[in-house]
Amino acid sequence: MSAPFLSYSGLHDLYHQENQWKLLQPLSFGLLVLCSVLLYFAVSLMDPGYVLSDCNKKPLPTYLEQGVMIPEAPSGMRLRRCGYCLLQQPIRARHCKTCHHCVRRFDHHCPWIENCVGERNHPLFMLYLGVQFLVLLWAFRLTWSGFQFEASWTEWLKVNIFLLLAFILTGIFTFVVALLLGCHCYLISCNVTTWEFMSHHRISYLKHYDSDTNPFDKGIARNLWDFFCKCNRVAWEQVYFRGTYNIV
């Protein structure tokens, strides 16, 4: 009597666990989508690191890529001033003509979020990309598992045509987001922004360096730690001149 009862009890537990997992899957996917939407609005609405006032509490030697140079600092050093908003820029900042602001540690202006990616929102942007990649990967798997097999290709297309289109679109978006995520991870590990990577030869504080040399690089582990785990504003002038002149 006990053996059949134990078998029944075991099957009942497995059935119960399977039903729980079936309920947990759509719930988890829905929460992941919700998280992705919330991150999208957070990244698109937050301040990416606008330069709102002159940054010369203590004059620092910096150079201007574009705009007007003003000799204000002592010892022949010159601070850079933006030619558009007329504010003194910290190093690695750039004026965005779409947002009409200078942005600290400017990476790029993203048309998808309709905002710049800069010093303040770049880590959150990476989190958004990661969550978006998981959502798309999950959706890609769902569309693949939804195909119904038929006797002929004609019948198969009739039944699965809309699912096939969804599968192709999801695959394209998954590939694009994965590529974007991988590129950003590589650039972050080197402590290079997208703007610096694309315009190295035109940026005044980088163009006298070889393309393989980066004055902001502290090593992969330290670069990743500083990017994801440090929330305070970085004085890039100190990092730059310490690397340039080997100041300890």
Side-chain angles (χ1 to χ4, degrees):
M1 291 289 291
S2 60
F5 175 76
L6 289 174
S7 299
Y8 172 77
S9 178
L11 289 172
H12 182 268
D13 288 342
L14 286 173
Y15 178 75
H16 183 65
Q17 289 175 5
E18 186 179 355
N19 282 341
Q20 280 186 326
W21 174 242
K22 285 180 179 178
L23 290 173
L24 190 62
Q25 276 187 313
L27 181 63
S28 300
F29 183 71
L31 288 174
L32 206 58
V33 172
L34 179 62
C35 183
S36 174
V37 172
L38 292 176
L39 283 171
Y40 170 82
F41 284 109
V43 174
S44 62
L45 295 175
M46 77 179 294
D47 177 359
Y50 293 137
V51 180
L52 300 176
S53 61
D54 283 348
C55 57
N56 64 331
K57 292 180 180 177
K58 191 184 283 187
L60 290 169
T62 56
Y63 301 90
L64 179 65
E65 184 201 359
Q66 60 177 7
V68 183
M69 301 291 292
I70 347 174
E72 288 185 20
S75 305
M77 295 294 184
R78 296 188 296 177
L79 299 177
R80 60 179 182 174
R81 187 176 290 277
C82 176
Y84 296 98
C85 56
L86 301 179
L87 292 174
Q88 290 174 352
Q89 293 179 328
I91 203 167
R92 307 191 85 180
R94 184 175 187 260
H95 186 89
C96 176
K97 295 180 182 179
T98 306
C99 295
H100 307 292
H101 282 289
C102 289
V103 180
R104 294 178 182 275
R105 197 186 173 277
F106 177 84
D107 189 86
H108 69 287
H109 182 88
C110 180
W112 174 246
I113 63 172
E114 296 183 357
N115 195 9
C116 284
V117 176
E119 189 173 63
R120 288 193 63 194
N121 66 346
H122 200 172
L124 204 62
F125 178 75
M126 290 298 295
L127 181 60
Y128 166 69
L129 283 182
V131 173
Q132 190 68 38
F133 176 67
L134 290 177
V135 169
L136 288 168
L137 203 61
W138 199 330
F140 186 75
R141 178 186 170 277
L142 288 175
T143 52
W144 172 259
S145 62
F147 285 121
Q148 298 179 19
F149 294 96
E150 300 293 335
S152 65
W153 281 104
T154 307
E155 290 296 321
W156 186 87
L157 280 174
K158 285 180 181 178
V159 174
N160 298 295
I161 183 63
F162 293 109
L163 199 59
L164 179 62
L165 293 174
F167 178 77
I168 293 171
L169 287 175
T170 306
I172 292 171
F173 286 130
T174 303
F175 174 76
V176 170
V177 172
L179 187 64
L180 191 60
L181 187 62
C183 289
H184 273 277
C185 285
Y186 168 74
L187 293 175
I188 290 166
S189 69
C190 300
N191 205 345
V192 177
T193 64
T194 303
W195 170 55
E196 290 170 344
F197 181 78
M198 300 295 293
S199 306
H200 186 281
H201 61 288
R202 293 193 295 110
I203 300 174
S204 59
Y205 60 84
L206 291 178
K207 63 184 180 182
H208 58 281
Y209 284 99
D210 295 333
S211 57
D212 296 331
T213 306
N214 176 23
F216 306 108
D217 188 12
K218 302 177 184 177
I220 295 176
R222 180 74 183 276
N223 291 337
L224 292 173
W225 173 265
D226 287 352
F227 181 85
F228 288 107
C229 302
K230 285 190 176 180
C231 301
N232 54 318
R233 184 180 295 174
V234 180
W236 292 111
E237 292 84 356
Q238 295 178 11
V239 178
Y240 177 79
F241 285 103
R242 185 180 294 118
T244 302
Y245 300 109
N246 295 319
I247 300 170
V248 180

